[in-house]
């Protein structure tokens, strides 16, 4: 049997605040609770939301003798330098070193990305085995997938973020033949079904075969997804008087179910072909910019 490599799950969407970090944390805890070995990488080194969430969890666990599961966590830092090329080379080297360290020893690596289009964000997309894109129920959010006409019908014109994903997929496929699986999950859904909600669902179903993504059943707007940041707890944790002074409610249980449904869509750890770190250099370093000389 071939040795296994970590399955790299990237949370991405150029739309800010769509729920990437929150979903990343819940996936990590769900995978750990299912007995998998999980590492995590924060490439949003300005906000560091995932990093803070994990730090809070480790501290809360220690202070309350709870033995909560925590992932092996890494931060892919932004580099500073004189030239774009130099900065990207340093960020690349740092990222490859992290991937090299975790690839063989973990079943899943969960990567959180920033909303802004950065080198590390693109690199993460190009490396993903699975890309999970949380999207809010709004026409503005859907515009990044495909243009929507004034009569609110989807058009064949690919949106900005979908174009980025398409390029990342293409680059990756050319390098090692892996086809990235793209899962889109509606997030912060109102629990009351509305005409708008049904319309957006219809549009996403229309985009899915064109852009080649799978649409997961959604995640609802629930207090449980945002109330535990400072303690590092999640909807997946056992909530009782010792942990939060609250008993789990039906909403907690429903939230757990939603996250487990998303986890169930993930493929298993990969069969090891080539080290991802070894194929990476072929994926992204940009060619040296061509500078016109006086003779040209
Ligand atoms: N299902 C949910 N129910 C309720 N609140 C949510 C849910 N998902 C996310 N949130 C809240 O929405 C806000 C944005 O979430 P989050 O920070 O995870 O998004 P993000 O995509 O990582 O943002 P950014 O693009 O800035 O990195 C946070 O306040 C978070 O607590
Ligand atoms: Mg975030």
């Amino acid at each position: 049997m071939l040795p296994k490599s970590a399955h790299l799950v990237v949370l991405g969407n150029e739309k800010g605040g769509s729920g990437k970090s929150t979903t990343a944390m819940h996936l990590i805890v769900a995978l750990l609770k299912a007995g998998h070995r999980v590492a995590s990488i924060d490439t949003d080194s300005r906000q560091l939301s995932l990093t803070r969430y994990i730090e809070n969890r480790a501290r809360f666990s220690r202070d309350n003798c709870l033995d909560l599961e925590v992932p092996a966590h890494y931060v892919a830092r932004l580099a500073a330098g004189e030239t774009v090329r130099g900065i990207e080379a340093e960020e690349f080297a740092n990222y490859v070193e992290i991937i090299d360290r975790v690839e063989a020893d973990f079943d899943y690596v969960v990567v959180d990305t920033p909303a802004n289009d950065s080198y590390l964000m693109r690199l993460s997309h190009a490396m993903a085995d699975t890309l999970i894109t949380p999207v809010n129920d709004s026409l503005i959010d859907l515009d990044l997938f495909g243009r929507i006409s004034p009569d609110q019908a989807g058009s064949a014109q690919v949106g900005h973020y979908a174009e980025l994903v398409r390029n990342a997929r293409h680059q990756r496929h050319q390098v090692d033949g892996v086809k990235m699986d793209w899962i889109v999950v509606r997030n912060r859904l109102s629990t009351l079904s509305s005409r708008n909600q049904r319309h957006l669902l219809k549009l996403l179903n229309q985009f899915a075969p064109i852009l080649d993504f799978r649409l997961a059943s959604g995640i609802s707007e629930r207090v449980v997804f945002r109330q535990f940041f400072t303690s590092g707890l999640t909807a997946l944790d056992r909530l009782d008087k010792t942990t939060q002074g609250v008993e789990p409610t039906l909403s907690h249980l429903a939230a757990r179910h939603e996250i487990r449904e998303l986890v169930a869509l993930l493929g298993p750890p990969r069969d090891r072909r080539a080290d991802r770190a070894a194929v990476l250099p072929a994926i992204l370093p940009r060619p040296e910019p061509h500078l016109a000389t006086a003779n040209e």
Side-chain angles (χ1 to χ4, degrees):
M1 204 173 65
L2 284 169
K4 297 289 176 193
S5 280
H7 187 115
L8 207 123
V9 184
V10 173
L11 278 293
N13 188 349
E14 273 184 291
K15 195 79 202 158
S18 58
K20 297 177 286 294
S21 305
T22 306
T23 311
M25 185 63 179
H26 279 77
L27 279 180
I28 290 166
V29 174
L31 287 166
L32 284 166
K33 285 192 180 292
H36 298 295
R37 299 166 304 166
V38 184
S40 48
I41 305 176
D42 197 344
T43 64
D44 188 353
S45 65
R46 282 190 209 283
Q47 295 198 52
L48 290 173
S49 307
L50 180 65
T51 304
R52 299 264 175 270
Y53 207 150
I54 292 170
E55 284 171 357
N56 291 346
R57 184 174 177 87
R59 193 183 46 247
F60 187 78
S61 176
R62 217 173 30 246
D63 291 352
N64 295 282
C65 307
L66 286 175
D67 209 17
L68 295 172
E69 312 82 350
V70 280
H73 185 67
Y74 299 84
V75 177
R77 300 228 168 256
L78 290 175
E82 296 285 302
T83 63
V84 172
R85 178 105 181 138
I87 293 169
E88 289 181 354
E90 196 182 323
E91 289 178 353
F92 182 83
N94 170 246
Y95 207 153
V96 168
E97 196 190 317
I98 297 172
I99 296 290
D100 230 2
R101 232 181 288 166
V102 296
E103 175 115 72
D105 295 338
F106 293 89
D107 302 317
Y108 290 90
V109 177
V110 178
V111 181
D112 190 23
T113 64
N116 59 307
D117 180 356
S118 67
Y119 179 69
L120 284 181
M121 182 264 214
R122 280 181 185 257
L123 189 55
S124 302
H125 280 69
M127 278 196 306
D129 294 314
T130 300
L131 169 67
I132 297 183
T133 300
V135 57
N136 288 339
D137 244 358
S138 144
L139 287 168
I140 290 189
D141 288 41
L142 258 57
D143 191 58
L144 293 181
F145 287 74
R147 293 290 127 80
I148 298 156
S149 62
D151 62 357
Q152 303 211 344
S155 80
Q157 205 183 336
V158 175
H160 195 256
Y161 181 65
E163 188 64 43
L164 185 150
V165 175
R166 184 184 271 183
N167 289 338
R169 256 181 171 165
H170 180 68
Q171 282 163 328
R172 175 67 186 279
H173 191 258
Q174 282 205 321
V175 170
D176 64 358
V178 172
K179 180 173 172 265
M180 173 234 281
D181 183 17
W182 188 12
I183 298 173
V184 173
V185 59
R186 292 183 305 150
N187 186 31
R188 306 195 70 166
L189 286 175
S190 158
T191 41
L192 298 174
S193 168
S194 65
R195 207 156 70 90
N196 177 58
Q197 207 179 86
R198 287 192 295 277
H199 179 59
L200 291 165
L201 179 60
K202 196 171 134 202
L203 284 171
L204 278 170
N205 274 319
Q206 204 176 316
F207 288 143
I210 300 169
L211 302 176
D212 194 11
F213 62 74
R214 295 193 283 158
L215 191 59
S217 43
I219 301 172
S220 304
E221 164 80 35
R222 294 180 195 281
V223 175
V224 65
F225 284 117
R226 56 185 140 89
Q227 74 186 134
F228 295 137
F229 174 74
T230 49
S231 60
L233 292 171
T234 68
L236 281 307
D237 289 295
R238 194 166 60 88
L239 303 170
D240 56 25
K241 292 264 182 263
T242 351
T243 52
Q244 276 300 297
V246 293
E247 300 289 349
T249 62
L250 276 181
S251 182
H252 292 144
L253 301 179
R256 255 175 229 178
H257 179 71
E258 288 170 352
I259 297 296
R260 285 184 187 142
E261 282 206 327
L262 184 57
V263 171
L265 295 182
L266 291 179
R270 312 180 317 153
D271 283 335
R272 187 150 217 197
R273 281 180 264 182
D275 276 357
R276 198 185 319 256
V279 303
L280 265 178
I283 295 185
L284 262 192
R286 290 191 192 146
E288 199 80 58
H290 178 73
L291 299 174
T293 63
N295 299 337
E296 284 181 327

